[in-house]
Amino acid sequence: MPDVLTIGEAMVSLRSSRALRLGGDVHLSIAGSESNVAIGLARLGHDVAWLGAVGNDEPGHLIQRTLRAENVDTTHLRFTDASFTAFIAFDQPAHDITRVSYHRRGSAASTLTAAECVAALEAAPPRILHVTGITPALSATAREATLTAVQTASAAGIHVSLDVNYRARLWSRPEAAIALRPLLPHLTTIFASDDELDILTDAPNPTAALLSTGIKEVVITAGSKGAWTHTESGTIHHPALSVTVVDSIGAGDAFVSGYLSATLDNLTPEARLSRATTSGAFCVGTHGDWESLPTRADLPLLETPNGTALR
């Protein structure tokens, strides 16, 4: 039985250090919020499975191969001949600015069904089900699949976490609210930035309103300002670590993987925030969505002084 099951979209990623229109070399890898979280949890020593659909094409097989190499269970990965594997391109049109281009409309990931989500949950119930607000934005069937998966897991007593992960390129805020608010009665943990809370509730005190629905914890991230965990017992803040930021893409997913890892280890809220911010700090230290995510043995390394040579 997996510790965590993640459900969502994985894409092939192309990265260029200059404007794509100029051509030149690109780095080929994979990307996707849920698969990033899966890799992060696997590196921290947890049994984690990823469920999603990819095209029966070379990019799709690259995704499968990469996840397997990172010890992520791909039993529930579905290949389809009817759709293609999506891709995402990152380029730098100016210094310290990253631009994102997508090729994902109608991709294999958008064909996710409720039936395959339920089948995976029943075949091997996880301790935690993790979903994001990206998946329901992909299609009507993916939206139904997300809601059904969350309802099924909640009814079975499984811890359910949601990372809002709002993407304006996919849908409007009102559309996101219509899709995500029905998930609230079934959630245990919410991850969001402070500017995403109005998607989930219109209440003047959004964290209190969310906790009143039965959600156990609302985790708010604010980049360099750190992160907060809100529960019925109160609020805890943890500052961000002081590190050189090379690439912030994927930092939120790294944070989530660290937080869920500490949750699985039954650590205190303070320790959960500490591991989450440490994982996020590792991620921003180099280019790539997941390549620099830490193993459990790596976690203490950021406590050493800058310039230390480990001999």
Side-chain angles (χ1 to χ4, degrees):
M1 301 299 180
D3 291 325
V4 179
L5 172 66
T6 66
I7 293 175
E9 177 189 42
M11 301 173 284
V12 165
S13 71
L14 304 173
R15 288 181 177 270
S16 172
S17 60
R18 58 179 180 173
L20 277 175
R21 68 170 65 99
L22 300 177
D25 295 335
V26 297
H27 174 71
L28 178 66
S29 186
I30 74 167
S33 181
E34 299 84 1
S35 56
N36 292 342
V37 171
I39 291 171
L41 284 162
R43 286 195 177 180
L44 290 170
H46 302 284
D47 293 325
V48 56
W50 177 82
L51 186 156
V54 297
N56 188 18
D57 47 32
E58 287 303 297
H61 288 280
L62 171 63
I63 289 171
Q64 182 193 49
R65 181 179 182 276
T66 303
L67 291 176
R68 283 181 171 178
E70 291 293 331
N71 294 315
V72 174
D73 184 347
T74 60
T75 299
H76 307 297
L77 183 153
R78 171 169 57 85
F79 288 104
T80 175
D81 292 313
S83 301
F84 59 92
T85 301
F87 79 77
I88 182 172
F90 303 91
D91 69 340
Q92 289 186 270
H95 176 68
D96 203 28
I97 295 176
T98 300
R99 178 171 53 195
V100 179
S101 304
Y102 295 111
H103 180 63
R104 75 201 313 181
R105 189 182 301 275
S107 71
S110 68
T111 69
L112 186 71
T113 68
E116 59 191 327
C117 293
V118 171
L121 287 166
E122 291 179 346
R127 292 173 60 188
I128 295 176
L129 170 69
H130 178 67
V131 299
T132 79
I134 295 174
T135 305
L138 300 178
S139 68
T141 55
R143 186 174 307 174
E144 179 188 5
T146 304
L147 177 59
T148 301
V150 166
Q151 291 173 328
T152 303
S154 175
I158 294 169
H159 182 127
V160 181
S161 74
L162 166 73
D163 185 355
V164 174
N165 244 334
Y166 175 68
R167 297 290 185 267
R169 298 272 290 276
L170 290 176
W171 54 2
S172 68
R173 299 179 80 88
E175 288 173 323
I178 291 171
L180 298 184
R181 292 186 185 190
L183 304 180
L184 297 180
H186 313 287
L187 300 177
T188 311
T189 301
I190 289 177
F191 297 96
S193 57
D194 55 4
D195 63 351
E196 292 175 327
L197 292 176
D198 65 302
I199 295 174
L200 301 177
T201 176
D202 298 319
N205 186 339
T207 54
L210 292 169
L211 291 172
S212 71
T213 66
I215 293 166
K216 300 300 183 185
E217 53 187 353
V218 179
V219 185
I220 308 299
T221 57
S224 61
K225 296 179 181 179
W228 290 260
T229 292
H230 301 271
T231 67
E232 289 186 348
S233 299
T235 299
I236 299 170
H237 173 255
H238 194 285
L241 298 181
S242 179
V243 295
T244 300
V245 177
V246 174
D247 180 4
S248 63
I249 302 295
D253 302 326
F255 179 96
V256 169
S257 67
Y259 197 94
L260 294 181
S261 168
T263 299
L264 289 164
D265 287 348
N266 296 314
L267 301 186
T268 64
E270 293 91 339
R272 295 199 291 268
L273 282 175
S274 177
R275 184 174 296 180
T277 53
T278 300
S279 296
F282 269 97
C283 183
V284 302
T286 188
H287 292 287
D289 276 40
W290 54 269
E291 283 82 349
S292 61
L293 291 175
T295 65
R296 196 166 288 245
D298 292 332
L299 290 173
L301 292 178
L302 293 184
E303 298 174 3
T304 60
N306 289 338
T308 298
L310 302 175
R311 303 179 186 276

